[in-house]
Amino acid sequence: MINRPQEGAVTTASQTSPTASRETTALPDSGKPLSTLEIEWKERIHSRLLEVMDLSLIGTLEDAQAREQIKEISQRLLVEEAAPLNVEQRKRVVQRVEDEVLGLGPLEPLLQDPTVSDILVNGARQVYVERKGKLKLTDVHFSNDRHLLNIIDRIVSGVGRRIDESSPMVDARLKDGSRVNVIIPPLALDGPTMSIRRFAVELLSIDDLVGLGSVSAELAQVLKAVVKGRLNVLVSGGTGAGKTTLLNILSGFIPHDERIVTIEDSAELQLQQPHCVRLETRPANIEGKGEVSARDLVRNSLRMRPERIIIGEVRGAEALDMLQAMNTGHDGSLTTIHANTPRDALSRIENMVSMTGITFPTKTLRAQIASAINCVVQVERHEDGKRRITSFQEINGMEGDIITMSELFQFQREGIDENGNVLGQLRATGIIPAFQKQLSAKGIDLPVSLFEPEWMDKGR
């Protein structure tokens, strides 16, 4: 599956060679590391700026106005100090001072680069980025751990969270919706560590996925019909497989006159519908109180008259409440789960329900799962970096104690070409889903030909 347009259809390959992973990647001119002289003057002008400017007033200004003021004062200070820098060097120094005061310091050039999909900070001296699915070491670095911690604190405080020795892990987000995970000493042995998962300004559409080869045109039509027909869909996949991006795309098929409630640990979904209520969990405070879990929000959402409930990711006891919601009239719900196969996804939901402490007979629980979830979409990130939908399965019901499933589409792998790209195609298996008649009764036409395997077309 795809996560962002700048990635195209690619992402980090787990088989990237050690040599390749240590290559440094070139930055745009504006993002190239400063020379020793430029760094010295950047720090000097930054210190002077803090002395002469009332930064408390910066928060009252628009970002553009604040940057303009900082730019003017920095340029004046460079002239007053008679800095031995040419025009281009002064421009770079002023830009970095702006980034230090208002942005994320050394990371700003990377955040402005549309080809960067992930930014991985391993301590003050090592920053990796993901471009076109491959990790590359950059020349970007922080002055020291304190410098990095200041940037981290700026990010997490912006979303009302905190990080310190008593709470050394946190999930946050940037203004553009990018996900941020931070872990600091004493848990991180080599210094503060930060992972930024970028999100594109321009959202992908299902047509983009078809063009990138992540999904077939036939399955794209089926997915659109499934969401419009209010079937409950579970998106399954590994870390970085593109589950959230696919969830965003699927949510785009929801009619604009429906009320949607989204529930997330860290708000990432970018729904375009006008009637959308966004809920976000809250961690416990320093006294261990005040936590609001996903399960609390799922329960509360049922009292908010939702027509659709979208859970960013189900990962705990909220799985039970999600199943109950899907079984009590809140059809058309969407969620994601970490799992390697559709069958594993259902097993994980069983395990999550057990986390509630409530004991259900196995057959009863599986019957509820089979009744609640209609379809499972499996997404996978292959070793060539490309994200693809590899399986689309319908849940049929129960046979004894087993949940029965029918695979309607399957990615058939055919090898690897000379460039390391995975060869294969997502093909229909020939099974006509039970929901085809159900959707037809709702006026949603799904031609039987969409589910016919390729060999049937050739035989005509």
Side-chain angles (χ1 to χ4, degrees):
M1 202 40 251
I2 318 303
N3 227 14
R4 297 160 284 270
Q6 61 266 27
E7 294 175 342
V10 295
T11 187
T12 306
S14 58
Q15 286 80 4
T16 301
S17 67
T19 302
S21 66
R22 287 179 171 79
E23 293 177 359
T24 57
T25 182
L27 295 169
D29 289 341
S30 61
K32 288 182 178 177
L34 302 181
S35 65
T36 304
L37 180 62
E38 289 170 328
I39 292 174
E40 178 185 334
W41 278 98
K42 187 222 43 168
E43 294 176 352
R44 186 169 177 176
I45 296 303
H46 185 216
S47 298
R48 286 290 313 278
L49 183 72
L50 299 179
E51 295 173 3
V52 303
M53 189 174 185
D54 185 358
L55 294 182
S56 63
L57 299 177
I58 291 294
T60 64
L61 301 176
E62 294 290 336
D63 186 69
Q65 291 178 312
R67 284 188 175 274
E68 189 60 34
Q69 284 201 17
I70 292 172
K71 182 177 180 179
E72 290 178 4
I73 295 174
S74 298
Q75 289 174 335
R76 188 171 70 245
L77 291 174
L78 283 170
V79 172
E80 291 177 0
E81 296 282 342
L85 303 172
N86 60 34
V87 175
E88 187 60 33
Q89 289 175 318
R90 291 188 180 211
K91 182 179 178 181
R92 282 151 56 85
V93 167
V94 170
Q95 180 63 51
R96 295 306 177 85
V97 172
E98 287 181 37
D99 293 341
E100 285 294 335
V101 177
L102 296 175
L104 301 185
L107 298 182
E108 278 297 318
L110 300 178
L111 292 169
Q112 302 304 318
D113 185 349
T115 67
V116 172
S117 54
D118 290 342
I119 302 172
L120 308 174
V121 182
N122 305 330
R125 312 302 296 182
Q126 191 181 73
V127 178
Y128 280 85
V129 297
E130 180 186 303
R131 281 193 178 94
K132 296 183 179 179
K134 306 295 180 181
L135 285 181
K136 300 289 184 179
L137 179 64
T138 71
D139 294 324
V140 173
H141 61 269
F142 295 82
S143 301
N144 47 48
D145 283 353
R146 174 49 54 190
H147 183 197
L148 174 54
L149 284 169
N150 287 339
I151 298 299
I152 289 172
D153 187 63
R154 187 177 302 171
I155 293 172
V156 300
S157 62
V159 292
R161 301 193 176 184
R162 65 183 181 82
I163 188 163
D164 50 41
E165 287 191 5
S166 62
S167 180
M169 296 186 295
V170 70
D171 286 315
R173 65 181 182 277
L174 302 182
K175 292 179 181 179
D176 65 358
S178 298
R179 284 180 288 178
V180 181
N181 175 269
V182 178
I183 182 167
I184 65 172
L187 301 186
L189 301 181
D190 298 320
T193 301
M194 177 166 57
S195 305
I196 300 177
R197 302 292 309 280
R198 298 286 306 284
F199 280 85
V201 176
E202 295 183 6
L203 299 179
L204 286 175
S205 68
I206 194 68
D207 292 333
D208 294 323
L209 298 193
V210 173
L212 291 165
S214 295
V215 62
S216 65
E218 292 78 13
L219 181 53
Q221 292 185 54
V222 174
L223 291 174
K224 185 175 182 179
V226 160
V227 176
K228 284 190 172 182
R230 300 184 66 86
L231 299 186
N232 295 318
V233 180
L234 178 65
V235 179
S236 167
T239 299
K243 300 184 297 297
T244 302
T245 297
L246 180 58
L247 191 63
N248 261 321
I249 292 171
L250 295 179
S251 69
F253 300 137
I254 298 175
H256 282 236
D257 59 352
E258 294 189 14
R259 176 176 170 84
I260 305 170
V261 177
T262 68
I263 298 166
E264 303 173 83
D265 281 329
S266 182
E268 306 166 26
L269 295 173
Q270 299 166 295
L271 273 62
Q272 304 304 302
Q273 287 80 356
H275 199 168
C276 178
V277 179
R278 304 169 69 212
L279 306 179
E280 185 178 57
T281 61
R282 185 177 70 185
N285 60 21
I286 195 169
E287 298 174 349
K289 300 179 180 178
E291 179 183 9
V292 179
S293 67
R295 189 178 188 192
D296 296 329
L297 294 181
V298 173
R299 286 175 173 174
N300 189 78
S301 71
L302 301 179
R303 306 184 185 99
M304 298 174 67
R305 203 252 178 218
E307 290 182 289
R308 305 265 188 162
I309 298 175
I310 300 179
I311 304 175
E313 181 184 341
V314 59
R315 63 179 72 186
E318 68 273 11
L320 175 60
D321 301 279
M322 177 196 71
L323 293 176
Q324 291 176 336
M326 289 178 172
N327 273 318
T328 54
H330 298 91
D331 48 357
S333 297
L334 307 172
T335 188
T336 72
I337 190 170
H338 275 80
N340 292 327
T341 67
R343 179 66 63 181
D344 287 347
L346 302 186
S347 297
R348 287 210 65 218
I349 290 178
E350 284 189 55
N351 294 336
M352 291 174 186
V353 171
S354 68
M355 295 170 66
T356 63
I358 303 174
T359 303
F360 290 92
T362 300
K363 186 174 181 178
T364 302
L365 176 56
R366 290 179 179 174
Q368 185 167 1
I369 293 173
S371 175
I373 301 171
N374 302 111
C375 305
V376 182
V377 186
Q378 183 70 32
V379 294
E380 189 173 330
R381 182 178 61 177
H382 288 145
E383 62 266 31
D384 61 356
K386 295 183 180 179
R387 296 172 168 93
R388 300 177 176 92
I389 292 181
T390 57
S391 180
F392 177 73
Q393 301 197 20
E394 177 189 30
I395 295 180
N396 304 116
M398 295 283 293
E399 284 189 6
D401 291 343
I402 305 300
I403 299 174
T404 59
M405 306 173 73
S406 298
E407 188 167 36
L408 309 181
F409 290 85
Q410 180 187 61
F411 181 79
Q412 297 176 2
R413 185 165 173 156
E414 299 167 354
I416 297 179
D417 66 14
E418 62 276 7
N419 298 318
N421 296 314
V422 173
L423 301 175
Q425 190 174 349
L426 185 66
R427 296 187 175 97
T429 61
I431 299 174
I432 309 301
F435 63 68
Q436 194 258 353
K437 290 184 178 179
Q438 178 184 342
L439 296 182
S440 180
K442 295 182 179 181
I444 301 173
D445 184 38
L446 269 183
V448 173
S449 58
L450 292 175
F451 305 98
E452 293 178 349
E454 199 174 72
W455 62 266
M456 289 185 67
D457 294 332
K458 292 179 180 179
R460 289 173 179 168

